[in-house]
Amino acid sequence: MNLIIAANWKMHKTAAETAAFCRELQKEESNFEGVDVIICPPFTALPTAGEILQGSKIKVGAQNIHWEEKGAFTGEIAASMLLEYGVEYVIIGHSERRHIFGENDMQINRKVKAAFNKGLKPILCVGETEDERHNGATELVLQRQLVSAFEGLNPEAINNLVIAYEPVWAIGTGRAATAEDAGNAGDYIHDLVREKLGVEVASRLRIQYGGSVKPDNIGSFVTLPSVAGALVGGASLATGTFINLITAARKAVLH
Ligand code: PGA
């Protein structure tokens, strides 16, 4: 199974900056064998990214969707609006959505269902806060987030499930989780998916680690048996660093 490395740009880059980045990255794509590379720019840059990367192995993802198809939801974007621009993936339930914008488990469940119904591939984010970790509640939090995200999903309709384990305290702090912690969380998530969605879905599941991933630490995550990639914020914003990160991940798994 290919690794999956996704760039979560958050609220960074105009369409012009996105165009320059995508052109640079595309020059390197022949060196990305064995890795699915996904760029998730802000909504306004999706048409540009989609156009430049059309026919490329590098895929485009959005950072959020609304669960309804259309309606009176000021400021929201529906799955069908993204598909129009060649978007294949969508990040759902990122900790910034949960903690800054108050998204709850029920809304995230609706978004996951909407993504699958419309043929978008969700990158579902889960992870505990620092307090939850100190209270020994990491697995409980992961269980709550995952069980509610899976509520009412038909395993037969799931062909491409990606789950990003992103401990909240590791995001943007420069303080990545240890490989041991990421591995334990990955194993737990894998087992829970097998229990709730079945062996088939679990066998195709790819788990990413996210939170202060850099070129010099990605190797310790992608070599874990239950981790198959990364969701990368800060280190995905400069082409050079992002390419180094992909190269480092390939090196770590290929030998
Ligand atoms: P970071 O962000 O790599 O800057 O820690 C990761 C994320 O929020 O997905």
Side-chain angles (χ1 to χ4, degrees):
M1 218 163 20
N2 275 5
L3 294 180
I4 180 163
I5 299 182
N8 175 15
W9 285 354
K10 312 188 180 187
M11 200 171 72
H12 292 285
K13 292 195 195 291
T14 61
E17 289 163 344
T18 299
F21 185 108
C22 290
R23 290 202 179 98
E24 271 305 295
L25 192 67
Q26 209 175 3
K27 287 189 205 148
E28 297 290 322
E29 78 170 304
S30 59
N31 299 322
F32 295 166
E33 204 173 316
V35 186
D36 294 341
V37 176
I38 299 148
I39 303 298
C40 306
F43 287 126
T44 49
L46 287 171
T48 305
E51 194 182 320
I52 293 174
L53 297 175
Q54 198 177 19
S56 157
K57 282 190 301 190
I58 303 165
K59 304 298 181 197
V60 181
Q63 299 175 17
N64 188 18
I65 47 167
H66 192 266
W67 56 85
E68 293 290 348
E69 255 170 72
K70 58 173 99 159
F73 302 104
T74 303
E76 295 292 324
I77 305 276
S80 60
M81 299 168 186
L82 299 174
L83 291 167
E84 213 174 4
Y85 293 107
V87 173
E88 278 187 36
Y89 288 84
V90 60
I91 298 172
I92 293 180
H94 188 276
S95 88
E96 286 147 21
R97 300 290 330 159
R98 293 179 191 260
H99 298 289
I100 304 175
F101 299 103
E103 276 186 24
N104 62 36
D105 289 327
M106 195 185 75
Q107 292 169 326
I108 289 161
N109 171 248
R110 287 178 169 174
K111 291 181 181 205
V112 170
K113 284 191 205 149
F116 279 125
N117 285 342
K118 291 293 169 189
L120 284 172
K121 299 166 182 161
I123 298 175
L124 169 65
C125 301
V126 293
E128 80 287 359
T129 63
E130 184 134 54
D131 278 354
E132 289 164 340
R133 180 171 200 81
H134 280 143
N135 294 335
T138 299
E139 292 189 352
L140 259 179
V141 171
L142 296 179
Q143 184 191 43
R144 191 203 75 226
Q145 292 176 335
L146 290 168
V147 169
S148 58
F150 298 156
E151 179 75 40
L153 275 186
N154 174 5
E156 315 247 294
I158 302 174
N159 49 19
N160 207 311
L161 181 60
V162 181
I163 296 175
Y165 168 61
E166 296 207 308
V168 179
W169 47 271
I171 296 175
T173 59
R175 208 155 51 88
T178 61
E180 191 188 353
D181 285 342
N184 288 340
D187 293 345
Y188 180 79
I189 292 168
H190 198 275
D191 289 349
L192 196 81
V193 167
R194 196 176 42 213
E195 184 192 318
K196 298 290 170 194
L197 298 172
V199 189
E200 267 294 297
V201 174
S203 69
R204 293 190 305 267
L205 166 72
R206 285 184 290 179
I207 297 172
Q208 298 174 314
Y209 166 75
S212 299
V213 175
K214 303 276 182 297
D216 61 4
N217 65 15
I218 189 157
S220 66
F221 298 114
V222 293
T223 44
L224 295 164
S226 57
V227 175
L231 182 57
V232 187
S236 73
L237 290 171
T239 28
T241 313
F242 192 52
I243 290 165
N244 288 343
L245 192 146
I246 296 165
T247 308
R250 292 185 69 230
K251 269 207 190 123
V253 296
L254 286 181
H255 66 72

